[in-house]
Amino acid sequence: MVDDQSQQHRPYLVSQPHRPADEDRDALVRLTYGAMASHVAGAAVRLGVLDRIGDGERTADDLATACAAQPQAMARLLRALTALGLLAEPAPGRFAATAVGAQLRTDAPGSLGALVRMFTDPALLRAWGHLDDSVRTGAPAFDTVFGTDFFGYLAERPALSAQFNAAMSQSTAHTAELLPAAFPFDRFPTVADVGGGDGTLLAGVLRAHPTLRGILFDRAEGLAQAGSRLARDGLADRCSLVTGDFFATAPDGADLYLLKSVLHDWTDEQCRQILGHLRRVVPDAGRLLIVEPVLPAVADASGDVIRYLSDLNMLVNVGGRERTRDDFERLCRSAGFAVRAVTPLPQPNRFSVIEAEPV
């Protein structure tokens, strides 16, 4: 027991705020610097650093001359690329590409250079500076920043539209390799890819299933590179190009319809319009495959952060969203489809195949 006298002489204890552990502080600092890291990769692509290094080694001075850059500034960029794991410095002042960095070469199989170039372009990044505004309003900041919507902006800039198409083609290439084995495509004579861009996904399906015929449907700017792509793959005689707007119509004549990375660009009401047009043309025995990321019902730090960043990118740039399985089921049901299966593609791919049938 403690008497009153001893209580009176006890020092007053001040509660101290919790001090974060060093690793926690470092994690937050690294997160804050993350945007700068993406700009480092973007600068390397625009300067052609990895193309000039190729399979060998180059000195900083050599690269500065080849890229028409200031030598000291180039050396600083190369050191940052090395710290990010995109380059290695086997000897002082000499640099070589790592396996990760080699993906920035334009001639590399599986190159992601166009994707990095597009996702570090002001057309995609400026609206991110107004993310807080989009969170307050629920509306895309892009429209306010640029005075038009994202796809309207691309339509007025053919070079940027071609860059966007190349980025989407690169981001789809891995899915195009996996999708043909994820569904029994041979059950259907004709498959239509709605909003299919340059045909990267459809080409992968047609190559794997030689009896299939294809229909590639998109707006003119989306199809701009499709003819040459399909011809290069030897598929021009098995695939028809149909120009149109999925907000106005859908192509008929197919038994199986694909929608990849389409619905996440749009609001629920806009998605119902797209799905409504498809419901009119999908035959009773046909199927609709929606190929998109599927968010888990509950988020946690062990999940894939890219899906959540993509969700916010849809918010700030186009007004769309990523969705959970329940979201897709409600959306499909409202348009006359029933979701029958959701099949995740093998990791590290982030997409799932949502199979829906008319009801």
Side-chain angles (χ1 to χ4, degrees), residues 71-105:
Q72 186 188 70
M74 173 58 73
R76 294 162 69 179
L77 175 67
L78 297 174
R79 288 198 296 266
L81 289 165
T82 301
L84 289 170
L86 300 176
L87 295 181
E89 190 176 8
R94 296 189 66 83
F95 296 88
T98 63
V100 176
Q103 297 174 92
L104 298 180
R105 288 173 54 178

Side-chain angles (χ1 to χ4, degrees), residues 213-239:
R213 296 193 63 82
I215 299 170
L216 186 61
F217 179 85
D218 210 328
R219 298 197 302 182
E221 56 268 25
L223 294 175
Q225 289 79 39
S228 58
R229 170 59 189 255
L230 293 168
R232 187 168 64 249
D233 289 348
L235 298 170
D237 61 340
R238 292 173 54 202
C239 186

Side-chain angles (χ1 to χ4, degrees), residues 118 154-166 221-222 224-225:
M118 188 69 212
L154 289 183
E156 296 172 358
R157 294 163 176 81
L160 185 63
S161 181
Q163 180 177 308
F164 177 78
N165 290 346
E221 56 268 25
Q225 289 79 39

Side-chain angles (χ1 to χ4, degrees), residues 165 168-182 185 191-209 212 214-216 218 226 229-230 233 235 238-239 256-262 289-292 345 349 351-353:
N165 290 346
M168 294 303 97
S169 177
Q170 287 186 352
S171 68
T172 299
H174 187 229
T175 302
E177 294 175 1
L178 300 175
L179 181 63
F185 285 91
V191 56
D193 190 354
V194 176
D198 76 345
T200 295
L201 185 69
L202 185 55
V205 172
L206 294 178
R207 282 195 304 268
H209 299 277
L212 272 179
I215 299 170
L216 186 61
D218 210 328
R229 170 59 189 255
L230 293 168
D233 289 348
L235 298 170
R238 292 173 54 202
C239 186
L256 175 67
Y257 286 79
L258 295 176
L259 277 178
K260 181 195 177 289
S261 300
V262 170
L289 297 186
I290 301 168
V291 184
E292 299 219 0
L345 293 176
N349 193 284
F351 287 84
S352 291
V353 181

Side-chain angles (χ1 to χ4, degrees), residues 19-33:
R19 179 181 176 82
D22 288 345
E23 58 269 25
D24 295 334
R25 293 171 60 85
D26 187 59
L28 186 56
V29 171
R30 287 177 178 274
L31 178 65
T32 304
Y33 274 66

